[in-house]
Amino acid sequence: MDLKERFGGGDGSDTTRSGWGQRSQRSSLTGLTTTEQECKQRIFQQLVKMLDLSLLAGMEDKEARAQIQQVCESLMAEESLPFNAGVRQRIVSELQDEVLGLGPLEGLLADRTVADILVNGPNQVFVERQGKLERTSLTFDSERHLMTIIDRIVSSVGRRIDESSPMVDARLRDGSRVNAIIPPLSVDGPMLSIRRFAVDSLTVESLVQLGTLSSVAARVLESVVKARLNILVSGGTGAGKTTLLNVLSGFIPHRERILTVEDSAELQLQQPHVVRLETRPPNIEGKGEVTQRDLVRNSLRMRPDRIIVGEVRGGEALDMLQAMNTGHDGSLTTIHANTPRDALSRVESMVAMSGFNLPAHQVRAQIASAIDVVLQVERQEDGRRRLTSVQEINGLEGEIITMSEIFSFQREGLDEDGNVRGQFAATGIVPRFYDHLKRRGMDPGIDVFQPGGG
């Protein structure tokens, strides 16, 4: 679908049906008045006629934008538009985004305060800022306009989306994760979700300042990672699992060889010896798929010191447990679960998805032997992500995996602004892995486990 088709043929004969008439609704977002929007409409129609869009597609972005700017400035000069330089540049910038970028989404993608962009059809665009959802005044011109943007995203990574393949995962150039689903699966029009890629990696100091965890807990977790204990990070969607995983990976010594396995590469490891592996979906014929399980099994043959799996969600859980139990200690992974106990139950269920009919007792024994520490993270109602529990797996007693909570976030209520009040504190239980930390020269001090500490 080209731009002429999307905007009513490019002959200027039907600007209302093309959707440009709806642009005035976004004046507060774009900064253009209704009159300026109408002028931009006329310029766009002429721009489409004059430019060879197929030629632009083969140019570098900078060169293509310069070409569009030159033509736009020439057209505005011919019309003798009574606009100042700032308005003219804003019009040119928006037209460049429409032709080359992601149109109305470009401004949101440039806003570093936006964590997620959620498009519910052409007339509803939500963003997440500071952990809270808010609706923007942004709209698309039509479903066709939104479909063009979605198609531009997925085609850039060699994928396609249409009625025969109405769901797709993709990635933007900056690494942001994109999911799109269109009719007939989505009833109310095309839906687009963009999980922003963090340009600047958060440090453990940043998490302490944000209140995600305490400085004492951060010191203990650093010791746990350096002492090569296996860690499972548990939490709901958007709770900050990957962010915490990134921070924990920063404690891994630079001399070690690290392999990462992800559905969509999001981890930002700073070590010099990192091998990043990413899954591949099936092609149009349904062939060529490479799953996380394939990559985890292959990674065992690549001489890793540590394996980091972005998120376990299937049969690869069994291979991950076996890796943790066979010399690849110090491995890290995340899982979707609401509590540490639920996380272990989910791991058990995922092992069953591997196709091996293992007795429940044997599976739980593997889990208890492989995983040392479970970290629970939660996005609370004030929008903040917090580490709410640190639990040690003690072992298997009968049919039950026993756990001890070492640190917990003790919630005290809400203040007048709706912020969650509470503190992260030690429970008073000295973990069994404390002796292991001391033997490895990573002693954080036994006082950090005293009641009220943390």
Side-chain angles (χ1 to χ4, degrees):
M1 183 186 302
D2 63 20
L3 290 170
K4 292 182 181 181
E5 179 185 0
R6 187 184 96 200
F7 290 107
D11 59 1
S13 61
D14 192 356
T15 57
T16 301
R17 201 179 338 172
S18 72
W20 279 103
Q22 299 174 24
R23 289 282 188 174
S24 59
Q25 299 173 6
R26 300 202 300 276
S27 297
S28 61
L29 180 78
T30 64
L32 298 179
T33 66
T34 302
T35 301
E36 292 162 353
Q37 294 280 7
E38 291 172 352
C39 291
K40 189 177 75 170
Q41 168 198 350
R42 294 198 304 271
I43 294 169
F44 183 84
Q45 300 291 354
Q46 297 176 64
L47 181 69
V48 171
K49 290 180 187 178
M50 296 179 63
L51 288 178
D52 186 339
L53 300 178
S54 60
L55 184 62
L56 280 180
M59 293 182 181
E60 293 289 332
D61 185 73
K62 186 176 181 180
E63 183 182 0
R65 285 181 177 270
Q67 181 79 12
I68 293 171
Q69 180 165 354
Q70 181 180 355
V71 175
C72 288
E73 290 176 349
S74 175
L75 291 171
M76 284 190 284
E78 289 178 8
E79 291 201 15
S80 300
L81 297 178
F83 303 144
N84 60 37
V87 172
R88 288 171 180 261
Q89 185 54 48
R90 200 175 299 124
I91 290 174
V92 171
S93 178
E94 291 189 16
L95 290 174
Q96 289 172 330
D97 291 340
E98 290 291 354
V99 176
L100 300 173
L102 300 182
L105 297 180
E106 286 291 329
L108 297 179
L109 291 170
D111 187 347
R112 300 180 69 173
T113 67
V114 173
D116 293 287
I117 302 171
L118 308 172
V119 181
N120 302 337
N123 299 317
Q124 284 190 354
V125 179
F126 290 82
V127 297
E128 181 189 305
R129 286 189 177 94
Q130 306 294 325
K132 295 183 179 181
L133 285 177
E134 58 185 66
R135 184 172 179 174
T136 71
S137 56
L138 179 66
T139 61
F140 289 81
D141 301 315
S142 61
E143 285 193 8
R144 181 184 293 181
H145 185 190
L146 176 54
M147 276 300 303
T148 300
I149 299 301
I150 292 174
D151 187 62
R152 190 175 295 171
I153 292 171
V154 301
S155 61
S156 67
V157 292
R159 306 288 303 280
R160 77 171 197 179
I161 187 166
D162 51 34
E163 286 191 7
S164 63
S165 182
M167 289 190 302
V168 69
D169 280 307
R171 233 186 22 243
L172 299 179
R173 284 178 293 181
D174 67 355
S176 296
R177 191 169 61 194
V178 179
N179 178 271
I181 183 168
I182 64 172
L185 298 187
S186 61
V187 178
D188 299 317
M191 304 290 168
L192 180 67
S193 305
I194 301 177
R195 172 66 60 87
R196 297 296 306 281
F197 180 81
V199 177
D200 300 321
S201 299
L202 288 174
T203 62
V204 67
E205 291 80 12
S206 302
L207 295 188
V208 171
Q209 291 175 1
L210 291 170
T212 299
L213 71 167
S214 68
S215 58
V216 171
R219 194 163 85 239
V220 172
L221 293 182
E222 180 178 3
S223 300
V224 164
V225 172
K226 289 182 176 179
R228 301 183 65 87
L229 296 179
N230 295 320
I231 299 174
L232 177 65
V233 180
S234 168
T237 301
K241 298 186 299 297
T242 303
T243 298
L244 182 57
L245 193 64
N246 258 322
V247 170
L248 294 175
S249 68
F251 297 134
I252 299 174
H254 282 220
R255 65 180 180 273
E256 296 187 17
R257 173 176 166 88
I258 308 167
L259 267 72
T260 68
V261 177
E262 300 177 82
D263 266 340
S264 181
E266 294 180 288
L267 295 173
Q268 304 174 60
L269 275 66
Q270 304 303 313
Q271 288 82 350
H273 200 164
V274 178
V275 179
R276 303 169 72 206
L277 306 178
E278 186 179 51
T279 61
R280 185 177 70 185
N283 59 23
I284 297 173
E285 290 78 26
K287 300 178 180 179
E289 180 180 19
V290 179
T291 66
Q292 279 202 145
R293 186 172 190 194
D294 296 329
L295 294 178
V296 171
R297 293 169 68 180
N298 187 74
S299 69
L300 300 178
R301 306 183 183 100
M302 298 176 68
R303 199 258 174 226
D305 287 313
R306 302 200 194 215
I307 300 173
I308 301 178
V309 179
E311 181 185 336
V312 289
R313 54 167 60 94
E316 69 272 7
L318 176 60
D319 301 284
M320 187 71 195
L321 292 176
Q322 290 178 335
M324 290 175 170
N325 276 321
T326 55
H328 298 94
D329 49 342
S331 295
L332 307 156
T333 189
T334 74
I335 193 169
H336 270 84
N338 293 326
T339 67
R341 177 65 61 184
D342 289 346
L344 300 186
S345 297
R346 287 212 67 209
V347 171
E348 185 176 346
S349 299
M350 290 174 185
V351 170
M353 296 167 62
S354 66
F356 293 96
N357 189 20
L358 299 175
H361 181 84
Q362 185 176 340
V363 173
R364 290 170 189 165
Q366 281 211 38
I367 293 172
S369 175
I371 301 172
D372 298 302
V373 180
V374 181
L375 309 179
Q376 185 68 36
V377 290
E378 180 183 337
R379 180 173 62 175
Q380 298 179 326
E381 59 264 45
D382 58 0
R384 294 185 181 181
R385 278 93 169 169
R386 290 184 173 89
L387 178 65
T388 57
S389 181
V390 176
Q391 300 204 20
E392 177 188 35
I393 294 183
N394 299 320
L396 189 67
E397 294 184 5
E399 296 295 323
I400 304 298
I401 299 174
T402 59
M403 307 173 73
S404 297
E405 188 167 47
I406 311 302
F407 295 99
S408 68
F409 178 74
Q410 298 171 358
R411 181 169 174 152
E412 299 170 355
L414 298 175
D415 63 19
E416 59 274 10
D417 296 322
N419 296 315
V420 175
R421 293 188 295 108
Q423 59 181 346
F424 197 79
T427 62
I429 297 175
V430 178
R432 294 185 179 183
F433 62 67
Y434 178 61
D435 289 337
H436 178 79
L437 298 184
K438 289 196 296 183
R439 289 195 299 271
R440 291 285 186 125
M442 304 295 172
D443 187 0
I446 196 169
D447 57 304
V448 302
F449 303 111
Q450 299 305 313

